[in-house]
Amino acid sequence: MKSAWLISIFVILALQLSAQKDSFAFLQSATVTANGNSQNVGIGKFDINLKNNSTIADALQNQSALFIKQYGVGALATASMRGLGGQHTAVLWNGFNLQSCMNSIIDFNLLPSFLIDNAVVETGANAAICGNGALAGTVYLNNKPLVKNSVFSEIKTGSFDNQSLGLGFAYGRKKVFTQTRLLYRQADNNFEYKNIFKINIPTELQTNNKLEQKGLLQEIQFIMNKQHSFFGKAWILETSRQLPPPMGVVNNANEKQYDFAQRYIIKHENNISKQIVNTNKIAFFDEELNYYNNYYPVAYSQSKTAIAECDIKIFTSKKSFFYAQINNTFTKAKTDGYSNWPERNLFSILLKYQWQLKEKLKLSAASRKQLVDNNLAPLAPDFGLDYLILNWLTFKGNISASYRVPSFNDYYWNIGGNENLKPERGFKQEISIETKIKKSKLSSTFFNNEVNNWILWQPNQTSGIWTATNAKQVNSKGVEIAIDLNQKYRQHSLQINSRYQYVKSTNTKTDIELQRSLNKQLIYVPFHTAFVSLNYHFKNLLVDIGNQYTGSRYTTTDNDKNYKLLGFNLINTGISYLLKYKQINSVFNFKINNVLNKNYQIIENRPMPLRNYQITLKFKIE
């Protein structure tokens, strides 16, 4: 771990010293992307504003209708999209999937927003493009191209001794441009909560919940000429956090967890002609997790991933293109729960064609075929359509098949892993109606997802040992409604964004042992989620108010109403002031979370904070 930090610092210094003076003409004009997922047809997507949010988990929680399963402030946070599990949501960082090969999830609380420029959520049927694991949808995390010299900073302080400092600088000379971002954040997270397990429900402080994180993002661009461009990214995160016991449990184990991740990407873009673009990428991910407990030895785990990818995009006309991609992903992992280092090689070929007819009809057809350790995985086809009925009215439709190969934990965990598991198979359909009038938009989407061979960990009736089995068929269907309104009058502007989602996610087939769960809502899947945000802008003043609603959730598979978590409604508000002086831009923000001081739980017996505050100061010199 220390060697990785030293190497990164050395590389940063070397890059800055080696840059040579010139303009940014090449950087501004020569970059062309051949990303095959940039123009998906027939599906819904929306941007996530990362401003004033410490982590991607906070941003998704405050600005989407997704259900973010948080085990507490700073603790594990996963996304339940359209009623499916966290393992069914692909998370792509600059085109590479971050889902763990060990458990198929990603912890959004470990992803600081300061190191990410852009976040997009696609809730549609796009499995062919994203590959393994995208049964529910995809979250894209990207870093923008570098174009300007600048120095920037972000300082946060707030309740529970929550503090962070982000520093960055971007510098370019001639054909080389580099950008560096450094982050440090820490929090005691000793927030107040209502203890429902004690008489009179007293207010208490959360304990054993400290967090400390260090982060680095280093980027470099080298524009050789109008044809060839090279890009490199290094992302390193080191996180230490304590793990508090559930409410009502007396525990002196002093549990804590240490995470270390280093991720590297090198990309070459080759603009062969105006119609043909070739991209070649390699990536390497190395992730460690150590778990500490006073009563047990240290639990250690590590995973390594190497990825090589080549794609080509051929524009057959101004609005039609053919896209092909070859990807090879090699992973291996080691933990105390495995008897050795299991390995897996995934080789896949993706073909996609997208074309537009008479300015009104846009179609796409794609399919991915994957070879998993010399075994063919199920085919993942994807068909999409956009039809402009009127200038302001669009119909969208999409249908696809998807899959998820079992994780290493599902296969190889020493007690309970099952090497005979089948891949999960998903079938997805959706239709949308979208209206656009000036800068306002309304859309309604109806979706239906079916997952066969759902992998479930459950106790054996004889031995009591938890074992992985293909025990379920799950059907998830529902509706999503999105309303975006924008009005401007002179120096006044008002923006309203809202999302609503209704999801019915049930077991439609199950084994004899789980008959009581048949046709019942999955645990921790709310029927209703929604949010509304209002942003008012006048001159240099910005006021925002957000209202986020999460419906009730069952905590038992038989939907026993006696063990149901109540829904909750949270209001957050903030005020920002923007100041510009010559080349200096600064923003001051004061934010209040949980304005109404609501007592709520996202996960049973995992308390969440009452009213709390955050102050953010940003500046940028260009």
Side-chain angles (χ1 to χ4, degrees), residues 100-113:
S100 168
C101 65
M102 301 181 71
N103 58 17
S104 294
I105 64 171
I106 184 74
D107 187 348
F108 287 103
N109 262 333
L110 292 183
L111 304 179
S113 58

Side-chain angles (χ1 to χ4, degrees), residues 34-45:
N35 189 358
N37 58 38
S38 61
Q39 304 180 57
N40 289 333
V41 174
I43 61 175
K45 66 178 181 180

Side-chain angles (χ1 to χ4, degrees), residues 223-290:
I223 311 301
M224 179 179 292
N225 50 45
K226 291 185 178 181
Q227 182 176 350
H228 296 283
S229 308
F230 296 88
F231 306 84
K233 300 181 189 294
W235 184 12
I236 299 177
L237 284 173
E238 179 183 3
T239 310
S240 297
R241 58 181 172 182
Q242 296 175 322
L243 306 176
M247 182 166 46
V249 175
V250 178
N251 190 336
N252 298 317
N254 294 321
E255 295 175 273
K256 57 183 179 180
Q257 180 175 311
Y258 168 83
D259 293 87
F260 179 75
Q262 49 185 330
R263 305 177 177 111
Y264 305 97
I265 296 175
I266 297 176
K267 180 172 73 169
H268 166 234
E269 285 191 358
N270 180 12
N271 298 324
I272 300 173
S273 68
K274 291 183 179 180
Q275 290 78 32
I276 303 175
V277 181
N278 163 240
T279 304
N280 306 290
K281 297 184 286 186
I282 58 173
F284 176 73
F285 300 160
D286 185 358
E287 303 187 11
E288 299 178 24
L289 186 153
N290 296 338

Side-chain angles (χ1 to χ4, degrees), residues 556-588:
T556 60
T557 56
D558 61 354
N559 289 183
D560 189 333
K561 294 182 179 180
N562 295 317
Y563 298 93
K564 183 170 69 171
L565 286 179
L566 298 178
F568 59 87
N569 194 68
L570 297 179
I571 296 177
N572 304 321
T573 187
I575 184 170
S576 299
Y577 186 78
L578 296 79
L579 180 64
K580 183 175 183 179
Y581 177 74
K582 293 184 177 180
Q583 301 300 312
I584 302 176
N585 295 287
S586 60
V587 180
F588 174 82

Side-chain angles (χ1 to χ4, degrees), residues 35 37 91-98 129-130 140-142 265 281 285 307 309 325 327:
N35 189 358
N37 58 38
V91 182
L92 272 61
W93 172 59
N94 293 295
F96 290 98
N97 199 333
L98 297 182
I129 299 299
C130 299
Y140 295 98
L141 307 176
N142 296 298
I265 296 175
K281 297 184 286 186
F285 300 160
I307 306 170
E309 186 174 283
Q325 179 194 90
N327 177 288

Side-chain angles (χ1 to χ4, degrees), residues 45-46 435-443 481-487 494-499 531 533:
K45 66 178 181 180
F46 55 92
T435 62
K436 286 184 178 180
I437 301 176
K438 294 182 179 180
K439 294 184 178 180
S440 299
K441 183 173 70 172
L442 167 65
S443 66
I481 299 174
I483 302 175
D484 298 306
L485 304 175
N486 292 274
Q487 295 292 328
L494 179 66
Q495 182 179 24
I496 299 175
N497 304 106
S498 62
R499 301 282 186 277
F531 93 96
S533 68

